[in-house]
């Protein structure tokens, strides 16, 4: 069986294991260790602007802690109607934001645009009966595997500033997005106020980074992280994972590998593709019979509605498996 | 330097590392893997009564998720005024319980008694102006390293039932408490409705267990765990840690080791001891000069107020280091 | 100027004033007075089934306190996408329900049906990643002035029971709905678990009733009412308002008056009507020029989008003013 | 029977009734009416500094809405251990502040001092494990009927500023405090950032004022007021109450009347008094037998512990009743 279900259950990369084992030696609890202390500087270098960075164990926590810096309990976060924070996080934003709303915007490929957001929020009356937007959350790569260009991000960032809204990026697959667009973390996070930088799907075990481009918000996030039960006492093992992923740009190499596998498969899909393949996800029109055929050959994946399937590649997807899937799709 | 600061930054036990590495092979995400599925049965066996058990990354989350099953947002949890949930969890109960209060009871050695609780809650008028208690939280071992006997637990459990209150046990050092009292997990958790069973201080890396002795509450906790951002997608690595700790009673062996080291030190402390040493913590009267003397010999520990110090042993405390500390204290 | 903006700013009915003045004489604080104590019995009589009833100052609070009895913080309330709790209550459900979601269903005339709800909730996977519905909220009369028949309510109630969901009714204009459908409060609230029974739009000053058809929930609502700052110390003045509205069926007489005025106007609207007029609201297709014409004659009302207007009658709408408006519309 | 239970159930003052009746004529909903619009200016004049002022129906809501402007959900409000917000508001601060804590300081006569607060908060470590104070709440007059002088308020205000804390005043009996200290509202609220100005105990029916001396916070409070279900649609009746109380300084005259009655009684109490009588409350040492004697003569009041009683006078306490009580106490 070769698995294309998701990248979220892939094994841990050997470099990450090694870094974690080495962290046995350190012994300051919480985030008082030397590894955790490196994060601010390492991410500031990576993004070319000063930022604060903290580990947490899940993307859900990373997104919600960042959003809490920009959305009051009586406000709302504008997000795509198919975004992960709306659809798949079990109501976590409502919990972390103390009852703030998610406002659902439409947009092709699960991407938001200034126009799409404006058409949602412009009709909101400026009175207390209606919840007002405080922030925007976008996903890079989007829930359909599409990426935002620096130009698109600049437009969103300018729009957000003009409206007095914060701009957060859910980067569960940020590495794949950056890899798909030339490899610049800086460009892939252009103009955002905060980023949940995902490492778990890309080779780590249990560490994502909350990156705040307004470092003054770091204190609040640290208090909230503790309050949410996310300050692990052996935090050095999380810091070690992230540092291992940053070292030698392992995050980028792993993402490029996954994206390349996705491209191999995409080449066989032709106009079966529902969306461009810009990262490591493929949404492919396949009839039930066709899906049965593929599954009979040992390929595992999720259905996507009645007439399609989703395939996800990962840092450990073997090239031969990707080619085999491509061939199988071509042969349908 | 030999460290007696805390057990919360000790390295990960080799068996735990081995089990985690093996978990690379599995690949169902979240808690859909075979390891996570074992937990209910393993803890039911251990405690001799049916229970549901789930991993989370911190004791704070474990405590709060369990408490949410027994305390409504408009209620209160009775706890000791020096308990960890009151003093050291950054307000997490207020977050997870949506604004419920902690009601602070007194008690020797940070232990609660039915009488102590009654004297706190009996004066509360049964009217809507006053927050009503919904639950009791105790700590095993207590914040001063004392343990509850099965008889004490039975009295608390009966009291709780008579008052319609839930009874939760914070077991950050549950293993040390059980080890200190004969080694029975069943007896050490006698009569409680839920337990946060700590493994991290005792050799794990990032996994504690929420144990619910009313398994019908498991669904609620699972939804709340996700909502709190604590459902890790590679949860198998947490389950693996816990299972490694349960296998061959490693949890008990590690705790016995730490407790034995504490006893070695205790033997040298005489009436310097502020509390009986029933687990792996020592609170020792030491003047500033005496503490300086010990530190000059390379021993590390926390001050405890102006005239005392706290020493904590761990699963990896070397016997010779404990003996050396004992000798140094004797020589003061 | 004759006003058809809304019924929410109408003056207080003379009987209500009189009852309030008489309440000066009583003097037990909060809800310990004789008037407040009457509510349970009076509403139980009115609805022909045992219920608990409490005053609060706003419909928003009434809705939210009732919903909190049936929706946990990690759950959701299904409501119409144009419902007041979604659109016009400033995020109050998110506050009172501690972050629970509103799930937005479609339906003609802002009414919900079992099929409409099923099509919304059936695709929700039964897993912790997705917020699960806990309750349904409907509005009687609906946001477009339509009423639910007892048969429609029975279908919704049966559906809710089958799915394990609570069923709440927002009755800001419950009196108008009941008046429009034969005058039976019992039928107009058929099968619901709770009702926010509105009196303010219908002649009271500041008192709505939360009616719980499961009286065991009353204690929780009373604690939550206090916690929300809604337990007024001179509550007798609110009870007096409600009792004055119930006495001699003033609530029904006032609503019938308003509905009759609406019917007078409706008779002139023909196929300009966007919805049937079943209570005291009219949604009328009118061009901008036509609206200008009406306003030039002194009629006040809200625009409803680009090509329509909303007219609301109230307990104090003068028959001649309604006829004058009808005539003016006929003459367009 | 002459009642000295509390001032919280006194009837409504005739001027207030008259003003409310006149408000029938206005008809803009919510706080869009002319009366509500007057509040900012009227209170700015009264306090001699610019402020924003809004009506709400209870002191609980007033306190909590104000505190939400100065305390984040992860912070704490320092208050007296016997303060109303801690003891008698059903956990409302936990609800409105989304789980923030109350930190309980001691102080004679339920008053706080900089030293008392410092001794509570100085030991709090500046780390994320411990909840940090964000605000201070004091009560004017205190729960024991004592008042803060302008000098005491200046000291608290300076302390708060130095520590970066907000300073809120619960003024449920602010009028009595001001009346007891020379009649200056300005002095009685010296240096505070917000005030819950109580009118209900002093002759109004259902209106207190939230006064914000940083008017920029008004928008947040307005959104939160709506979100809490406290934006009444016929708000003009609340504004009318407050304006009637301000007109001709009725608030001060009523408070002076109540205070004078309290002084009449105090004169008979000698060293039975547990606290100075600076407003309209008396705490008097009385044995059970003595209390029985008084009650047998028709005086009603609350026990205050085993050997004392609380007497409260109100705007409508008759001078002869106060004298009769004084005489009865003298005769014990």
């Amino acid at each position: 069986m070769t698995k294309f279900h998701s990248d979220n259950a892939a094994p841990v990369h050997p470099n990450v294991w090694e870094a974690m084992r080495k962290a046995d030696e350190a012994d300051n609890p919480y985030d008082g260790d030397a590894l955790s202390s490196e994060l601010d500087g390492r991410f500031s270098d990576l993004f070319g602007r000063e930022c604060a960075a903290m580990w947490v164990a899940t993307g859900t926590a990373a997104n919600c802690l960042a959003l809490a810096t920009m959305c009051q309990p009586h406000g709302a976060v504008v997000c795509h109607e198919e975004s992960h924070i709306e659809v798949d996080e079990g109501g976590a934003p409502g919990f972390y934001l103390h009852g703030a709303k998610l406002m659902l915007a439409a947009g092709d490929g699960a991407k938001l645009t200034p126009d799409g957001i404006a058409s949602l929020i412009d009709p909101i009356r400026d009175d207390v009966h209606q919840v007002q937007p405080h922030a925007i959350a976008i996903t890079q790569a989007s829930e359909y595997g599409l990426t935002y260009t620096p130009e698109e991000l600049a437009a969103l960032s300018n729009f957000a500033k003009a409206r007095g809204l914060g701009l957060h990026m859910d980067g569960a697959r940020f590495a794949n997005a950056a890899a798909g667009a030339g490899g610049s973390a800086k460009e892939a996070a252009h103009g955002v106020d905060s980023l949940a930088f995902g490492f778990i799907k890309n080779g780590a075990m249990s560490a994502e980074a909350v990156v705040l481009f307004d470092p003054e918000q770091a204190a609040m996030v640290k208090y909230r992280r503790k309050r949410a039960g996310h300050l692990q006492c052996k935090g050095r093992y999380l810091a070690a994972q992230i540092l291992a992923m940053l070292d030698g740009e392992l995050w980028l190499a792993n993402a490029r590998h996954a994206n390349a596998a996705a491209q191999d498969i995409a080449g066989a899909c032709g106009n079966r593709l529902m969306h461009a393949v810009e990262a490591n996800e493929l949404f492919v029109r396949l009839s039930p019979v066709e899906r049965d055929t593929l599954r009979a050959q040992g390929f595992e994946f999720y259905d996507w509605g009645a007439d399609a399937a989703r395939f996800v590649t990962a840092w450990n997807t073997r090239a031969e498996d990707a080619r085999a899937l491509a061939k199988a799709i071509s042969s349908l």
Side-chain angles (χ1 to χ4, degrees), chain A:
Chain A
M1 299 289 274
T2 51
K3 299 211 172 190
F4 294 94
H5 276 121
S6 184
D7 41 4
N8 71 355
V12 173
H13 190 278
N15 292 17
V16 174
W17 278 123
E18 188 183 358
M20 291 172 76
R21 287 304 294 262
K22 276 190 62 180
D24 260 352
E25 297 159 18
D27 65 353
N28 275 336
Y30 303 110
D31 60 354
D33 60 286
L35 300 174
S36 298
S37 302
E38 275 189 53
L39 296 180
D40 288 357
R42 293 290 292 271
F43 282 95
S44 295
D45 289 348
L46 182 65
F47 288 107
R49 49 177 171 148
E50 202 194 343
C51 61
M54 287 148 283
W55 42 255
V56 287
T58 63
T60 297
N63 284 326
C64 289
L65 288 169
L67 287 169
T69 66
M70 49 180 83
C71 180
Q72 288 276 307
H74 60 283
V77 176
V78 177
C79 64
H80 194 275
E81 61 196 355
E82 298 186 68
S83 66
H84 202 261
I85 59 171
E86 161 64 10
V87 174
D88 271 307
E89 296 194 346
F95 180 44
Y96 276 83
L97 303 182
H98 298 294
K101 286 184 97 155
L102 298 183
M103 283 183 178
L104 307 181
D108 289 343
K111 286 174 64 180
L112 295 183
T113 60
D115 283 354
I117 300 169
S119 72
L120 177 74
I121 68 175
D122 283 349
I124 296 171
R125 300 189 312 271
D126 180 19
D127 75 39
V128 299
H129 299 267
Q130 303 210 304
V131 178
Q132 306 296 312
H134 289 192
I136 299 168
I138 57 176
T139 310
Q140 172 83 307
S142 85
E143 280 69 19
Y144 287 110
L146 301 179
T147 59
Y148 288 90
T149 65
E151 293 70 31
E152 289 171 327
L153 293 173
L156 283 163
S157 174
N158 291 338
F159 175 83
K161 278 191 185 63
R163 300 302 183 102
L165 307 174
L167 180 59
H168 170 69
M169 178 177 279
D170 175 352
R173 294 188 180 93
F174 179 77
N176 301 97
S184 164
K186 189 175 168 180
E187 289 188 0
H190 181 83
V192 302
D193 297 313
S194 61
L195 166 67
F197 192 144
F199 292 100
I200 297 173
K201 290 181 165 70
N202 196 31
M205 187 181 89
S206 60
E208 313 277 74
V210 183
V211 183
L212 304 172
F213 294 102
D214 175 0
E216 299 210 350
Q217 300 284 6
M220 176 180 162
V221 171
K222 286 183 178 174
Y223 275 97
R224 299 264 177 134
R225 176 175 63 172
K226 172 62 194 174
R227 188 179 187 237
H230 276 285
L231 181 65
Q232 298 194 18
C233 63
K234 301 185 181 175
R236 65 193 190 268
Y237 294 106
L238 283 80
Q241 296 176 51
I242 293 172
L243 294 173
M245 293 294 294
L246 295 179
D247 283 344
E249 296 198 317
L250 178 61
W251 68 275
L252 195 54
N254 280 359
R256 281 178 168 149
H257 175 92
N259 287 10
Q263 288 301 329
D264 280 351
I265 303 165
C269 293
N271 56 17
R272 289 182 182 273
L273 287 176
M274 300 165 68
H275 300 284
V277 177
E278 300 177 355
N280 64 325
E281 293 186 286
L282 303 103
F283 296 84
V284 185
R285 289 184 195 90
L286 289 167
S287 70
V289 169
E290 291 170 330
R291 288 175 304 198
D292 287 347
T293 302
L294 292 175
R295 285 180 173 129
Q297 298 173 60
F299 299 105
E300 295 189 358
F301 51 87
Y302 285 117
D303 287 347
W304 200 261
D307 291 299
R310 186 187 78 159
F311 300 88
V312 186
T313 58
W315 72 269
N316 69 326
T317 299
R318 296 189 305 171
E320 58 265 39
D321 290 339
R323 286 194 298 266
L325 175 58
K327 191 170 167 191
I329 291 173
S330 296
S331 308
L332 286 172

